[in-house]
Amino acid sequence: MTLVQMQPRPVHAHAHADLVHRTVNDAMEAPGPQVCDDMTVEVALAVMAGSRTDHLLVCDEDGLCIGLVTQPQLTALRRSAVYTDQLRVRDVLGDRGPFTSPMTAMAEAEHAMRYRKLTALPVVDEHGTALGVLALALAR
């Protein structure tokens, strides 16, 4: 997975204006693996291992993106006392989201992700269809 790291770089005056207007669409990755919300946590972890990714987009029965789960999130759940082999990905997600639009300014998306301590964020269109994933390296 390619991580997008936001670091200031020396730029010319005209190039600086381009960076200010950069959107999520300019930095997002392809959506990658997607799973249905009725999949078990065990199967989702196997899909992650097989695709060598640390996150999966989760879709509902209509194929619309309802969220994203991460490998650390599912692994921690699997180690918890509430875990059973019948636990579904939808049980982990809770409410839908968070999401971002491809037209969101990168500065705004980066700020929101750092505030919420997210490493990846689904990018969806106005109908809820997954267009990609915005992945940022969190500052340590």
Side-chain angles (χ1 to χ4, degrees):
M1 172 174 64
T2 304
L3 295 179
V4 177
Q5 291 202 357
M6 303 301 291
Q7 296 179 352
R9 290 185 252 165
V11 293
H12 301 309
H14 62 84
H16 178 68
D18 290 340
L19 290 178
V20 171
H21 299 292
R22 195 164 178 226
T23 65
V24 168
N25 190 59
D26 300 324
M28 71 180 183
E29 302 173 0
Q34 299 180 35
V35 297
C36 291
D37 64 346
D38 64 348
M39 182 176 286
T40 66
V41 168
E42 281 301 315
V43 173
L45 284 166
V47 169
M48 280 186 207
S51 61
R52 296 184 177 176
T53 187
D54 64 352
H55 64 266
L56 295 172
L57 290 175
V58 180
C59 298
D60 65 11
E61 64 277 357
D62 297 321
L64 300 178
C65 183
I66 59 172
L68 180 139
V69 291
T70 65
Q71 190 270 335
Q73 178 186 21
L74 295 183
T75 300
L77 178 66
R78 187 169 57 182
R79 292 180 182 149
S80 75
V82 299
Y83 177 78
T84 72
D85 63 355
Q86 298 303 309
L87 195 61
R88 307 279 176 198
V89 173
R90 77 174 69 122
D91 302 325
V92 176
L93 279 179
D95 295 334
R96 289 181 178 242
F99 308 100
T100 192
S101 160
M103 302 316 296
T104 302
M106 271 303 297
E108 180 182 337
E110 180 189 25
H111 175 76
M113 290 178 72
R114 290 185 188 283
Y115 178 78
R116 295 180 124 182
K117 296 183 173 126
L118 299 173
T119 57
L121 187 63
V123 181
V124 298
D125 67 13
E126 63 274 4
H127 305 290
T129 302
L131 301 175
V133 174
L134 181 63
L136 297 175
L138 292 177
R140 304 273 179 221

